[in-house]
Amino acid sequence: MAKNRNEIPEKLTWDLTTIYKTDKEWEAELTRIKSELSLVEETDPGHLLDSAESLLTITEKMLSISQQVEKLYVYASMKNDQDTREAKYQEYQSKATALYVKFGEVYAFYEPEFLKISKEVYNKWLGELQKLKNYDHMFEHLFAKKAHILSQKEEKLLAAAGEIFESPSETFEIFDNADIKLPMVKNESDEMIQLTHGNYSSLMESKNRGVRKAAYKALYSNYEQYQHTYAKTLQTNVKVHNLKAQIRSYDSARQAALANNFVPEKVYDVLMEAIHQHLPLLHRYIELRKKILGITDLKMYDIYTPLSNLDYKFNYEDGVKKAEEVLAIFGKEYKGKVKAAFEQRWIDVEENIGKRSGAYSGGSYDTNAFMLLNWQETLDDLFTLVHEMGHSMHSAFTRENQPYVYGDYPIFLAEIASTTNENILTETLLKESKDDKERFALLNHWLDSFRGTVFRQSQFAEFEQKIHEADAAGEVLTSEYLNSLYGEINEKYYNLAVKENPEIQYEWARIPHFYYNFYVFQYATGFAAATFLAEKVVHGSTEDRQKYLEYLKAGSSAYPLEVIAKAGVDMESTDYLDAAFELFENRLSELEKLVEKGVHL
């Protein structure tokens, strides 16, 4: 049974007092920042380009306030995530969101005013005032977006609507995590338990097909029941993306989202072309799964159960030891930061009632790189731990080596450090495997991870693109339309008929990433790039590992493709994708040979 928050041992919770010692301190900061923004509103608009000194002063003040707002928001958000039922922290998050909106309103003048400057005057000022060069890359970003920046009045109106634009995502999150109560189901011990988002994954990995089927049907009965509500929140969110793209004169929401992160659309297209070309590999893996499980009528609830009878269990303490051991390969500096994360309570470990599902790495420039987990003692949890640690180490290295203006890594690169860690863990465990059965289990786990990260996230990306295109073309995204489209795409990927797997048509309703605005494809590109980098880290030289650390330290001091190119990956080429699919096929072939030897029996 899931525990209440107050039943979780303190050592297994994150220490948010390192951000603000008390809630009253947070409230005082909120009041102070509001006052500071009011003063800015009275003094700064219209004066950005008075002189080089004015440009520097207003820019630095804006970044300083942004830094403070970010810290304020992170505290409120994480407090809310640890128990989404608490009205106090729902209110805190709402107030923090409103403050972000207010910040956007107040500084709506900044970009339109800046873009009135000519390149000649800008270059002249750079020569006159050396400190302006600290922000040169940021200014380059603004010049690049010039065609999509609106007038000051329009920018202010758009910023004021920010809280409304966030409403679909926030409504989904509260409804899905706090309001919905999932049914009771039986576990492998034939005990009735409360189905939660946290334990669903463990139940789907059960060796008992009846347990898998019951949990699967119970979960999707919820999404079938509330499909119209979920459709409305998703439809509204898509409309927000399309409207904002149209307002800013982009051809599509996808173009707007990728351009905002300075990622060419070619990267997305290259991924989707490669995925469609290699779908036969996924079909081949599904056929092998049928053979191993001895099931002729394979269902979607059979996709997640491990094919091996070898049961890896990791309590959290063992997980910590293994993570420290595996990640030591990066050297002393990295190892020290990992140790700090464990000892200084950066991590919220256990599931509790009302806690946000899943896992993430968070924090702000001025805080620890916190992590949220929902530990269930599985091998997947160990992989999740090193995954989120990859994010947090990326954040920690970036924040220590870059000023605030470049103190976060580009979102396009966000999944590479995390999945590099996963791949290194796989390599380590394969190397340590004692016999064919262990190797079989690890190959199965890696192939499932690849399927879930490269194929599955690309499936999500394809669905996401199609629903944005459909809305832009005037199609109403009813639950019936979404069900039909999702079912069709799922059948193409898994080669399993929708009519034999009717519940899967509702899966779109439970995926929070569809609210993230063309984020999911980066899981697939990130995993593929990570396979290449992991090989460099594990089998390469000290210089290769140093280059990797330099990539972690770069933050957003250069464009995303430039940053990752320094580590040796060309994201506009198929090379890194070809390498990933080659490794998938090699490991699939090895698994097939082990099956022929009867290792799975």
Side-chain angles (χ1 to χ4, degrees), residues 149-288:
I149 300 297
L150 310 176
S151 69
Q152 183 174 333
K153 181 179 179 181
E154 290 168 330
E155 288 289 348
K156 191 166 186 176
L157 285 171
L158 201 56
E163 197 168 359
I164 299 170
F165 290 156
E166 291 298 317
S167 179
S169 175
E170 291 179 356
T171 301
F172 165 82
E173 186 175 326
I174 291 173
F175 186 63
D176 201 55
N177 287 299
D179 289 347
I180 293 299
K181 185 176 181 180
L182 298 174
M184 301 289 288
V185 295
K186 284 187 178 182
N187 62 14
E188 286 190 321
S189 302
D190 208 32
E191 302 167 330
M192 293 299 295
I193 62 169
Q194 177 70 56
L195 180 63
T196 68
H197 293 295
N199 66 22
Y200 173 73
S201 295
S202 296
L203 291 167
M204 291 304 291
E205 293 176 0
S206 170
K207 302 295 191 302
N208 185 324
R209 197 182 191 202
V211 169
R212 300 198 302 269
K213 180 178 180 180
Y216 180 82
K217 288 185 174 294
L219 181 79
Y220 283 106
S221 67
N222 165 73
Y223 291 101
E224 180 180 9
Q225 180 181 359
Y226 296 108
Q227 61 181 291
H228 304 298
T229 300
Y230 284 110
K232 193 63 179 177
T233 58
L234 183 57
Q235 178 190 41
T236 306
N237 199 65
V238 169
K239 285 187 176 296
V240 167
H241 294 164
N242 281 337
L243 175 64
K244 290 169 79 172
Q246 182 181 2
I247 288 171
R248 293 199 177 280
S249 301
Y250 287 102
D251 294 339
S252 66
R254 190 187 81 167
Q255 184 189 63
L258 270 63
N260 191 52
N261 296 308
F262 297 92
V263 175
E265 287 189 277
K266 181 181 178 182
V267 174
Y268 198 108
D269 292 333
V270 164
L271 168 68
M272 297 313 302
E273 288 168 11
I275 286 291
H276 291 157
Q277 181 184 344
H278 291 93
L279 280 179
L281 282 177
L282 179 58
H283 299 162
R284 183 172 142 194
Y285 180 53
I286 296 300
E287 287 302 311
L288 182 63

Side-chain angles (χ1 to χ4, degrees), residues 445-460:
H445 185 274
W446 186 85
L447 289 166
D448 273 344
S449 296
F450 192 105
R451 177 201 57 77
T453 309
V454 179
F455 285 113
R456 181 170 165 80
Q457 299 302 328
S458 296
Q459 174 191 352
F460 289 168

